[in-house]
Amino acid sequence: MRFLLTDEQREFGRSLDALLGAADTPAVLRAWAAGDHGPGRALWGRLADAGVFALAVPEAYGGVGPLPVEATVACVELGRHAVPGPLAETLAAGVLLAGAGGPVAEEWLPGIASGTAMVSLTLEGSGPYAPDADAADAVFTVTGDELRLAAGPGESSASADPARRLFRPEPGGAPVAKGAAIRAAARAAGDTAALATAALALGCGEELLRATVAYVKQRTQFGVPVGSFQAVKHRLADTLLGLEFARPLLYGAAVELAEGSPGAGAAVAAAKVTAGEAGYAAARTALQLHGAVGYTEELDLAWWLRRARPLRDAWGTPSVCRARVLAG
């Protein structure tokens, strides 16, 4: 199995990094958390122009996918820059609706690929909440072999990440597809959502580590940078190792998903638990080494700190993922 990215895939990641580096995502996050979705939707459109959401949509509906490896590359960058919105859910919806086919696919997939449609969803067994459903143009739910379009975002619930709002979709809603194909499409969509979330968690952890290394180089104690202390070096090294061990699992799972391997589900679960735990460990390291300043609302890094644990638990908690790996 090939774990190394191609030159084109690496260049795609670099282009997204450059785009997002100029986007002032902390300002976008603050607006999103306050209920102003305008800056976030504008950024969403620029990401769509770069081809991000087309990666999950088949060519027949205006996309270029499904391309799990390229989507993983994109999500690592989106996680590194903490882009708000139902990213994993929209990518998963592309897979779900493509599997469902029919009028619902024809209606929504071109919009997902072009960025004009932002979608959230819940799948049976994935938890009752649809992230950012208030900002989404559609919220899909799957129960058994039935796909429904929720009547509304429903009741909101508290979230550790104020820029990742949770909603319990209103029950009922119009059925848009039904049959055995829905069950298979929902399984594929769940794997896509878990893989995308793992990539977001890895990118989040990488940014937390980068910012922490920069901080301990400039913060001094006893007249020397705290980064020169052996205990600090060891903590940062452990954090780096966790992230680097997660990376090949993440891209290996993307390759298996792209090839339709029978073990793809277990590979995705292994990547999800490893990347999620590594990202959360990076958040704990960042908070400890930043000290009290890490708690401040004004510090941009606080948005990444708040995001790490929800990403760890979304689309498969560590215990659920470990059980799936063992079963696989």
Side-chain angles (χ1 to χ4, degrees):
M1 179 181 292
R2 180 180 175 85
F3 289 91
L4 295 177
L5 298 176
T6 65
D7 291 340
E8 290 81 6
Q9 290 164 341
R10 286 194 292 269
E11 181 57 34
F12 178 50
R14 285 192 291 267
S15 68
L16 290 177
D17 182 39
L19 183 158
L20 293 169
D24 191 12
T25 52
V28 176
L29 283 162
R30 287 184 169 87
W32 191 273
D36 178 6
H37 301 133
R41 291 298 296 249
L43 179 57
W44 191 278
R46 293 199 293 274
L47 291 170
D49 291 342
V52 170
F53 303 109
L55 296 171
V57 176
E59 291 184 19
Y61 299 99
V64 297
L67 296 173
V69 177
E70 285 75 7
T72 300
V73 171
C75 285
V76 170
E77 297 303 326
L78 300 180
R80 193 195 316 277
H81 292 274
V83 175
L87 299 162
E89 292 73 25
T90 297
L91 292 170
V95 173
L96 173 66
L97 299 180
V104 66
E106 295 172 359
E107 179 180 359
W108 287 100
L109 286 178
I112 290 175
S114 66
T116 58
M118 180 183 288
V119 178
S120 192
L121 81 162
T122 64
L123 303 176
E124 192 170 35
S126 68
Y129 298 113
D132 299 305
D134 61 329
D137 300 295
V139 180
F140 290 99
T141 64
V142 175
T143 304
D145 61 357
E146 190 169 67
L147 172 64
R148 288 179 175 268
L149 179 61
E155 182 182 356
S156 64
S157 180
S159 172
D161 179 0
R164 190 176 185 275
R165 296 154 59 86
L166 301 176
F167 292 83
R168 188 186 294 267
E170 292 181 10
V176 292
K178 187 175 183 179
I182 299 302
R183 289 184 181 271
R187 285 194 296 271
D191 286 341
T192 297
L195 183 67
T197 304
L200 292 169
L202 180 65
C204 179
E206 288 178 346
E207 175 57 22
L208 285 163
L209 178 60
R210 184 207 63 77
T212 305
V213 169
Y215 181 72
V216 299
K217 286 180 178 179
Q218 68 180 21
R219 179 186 172 193
T220 60
Q221 195 171 41
F222 308 117
V224 297
V226 298
S228 64
F229 299 160
Q230 199 72 8
V232 172
K233 291 180 179 180
H234 286 171
R235 184 68 185 265
L236 292 170
D238 288 344
T239 303
L240 176 61
L241 283 174
L243 294 168
E244 290 303 319
F245 272 114
R247 192 183 313 279
L249 286 176
L250 180 69
Y251 287 114
V255 170
E256 291 208 37
L257 203 60
E259 294 178 348
S261 167
V268 168
K272 176 65 175 59
V273 67
T274 308
E277 293 282 29
Y280 184 46
R284 296 199 307 271
T285 296
L287 186 57
Q288 181 183 21
L289 297 184
H290 275 80
V293 71
Y295 290 96
T296 60
E297 189 76 25
E298 293 79 8
L299 183 71
D300 288 344
L301 195 69
W303 295 96
W304 281 258
L305 287 170
R306 292 176 174 182
R307 181 151 293 204
R309 180 157 185 170
L311 288 175
R312 185 197 72 170
D313 295 340
W315 293 102
T317 62
S319 60
V320 167
C321 289
R322 290 188 179 99
R324 190 176 184 189
V325 171
L326 292 173

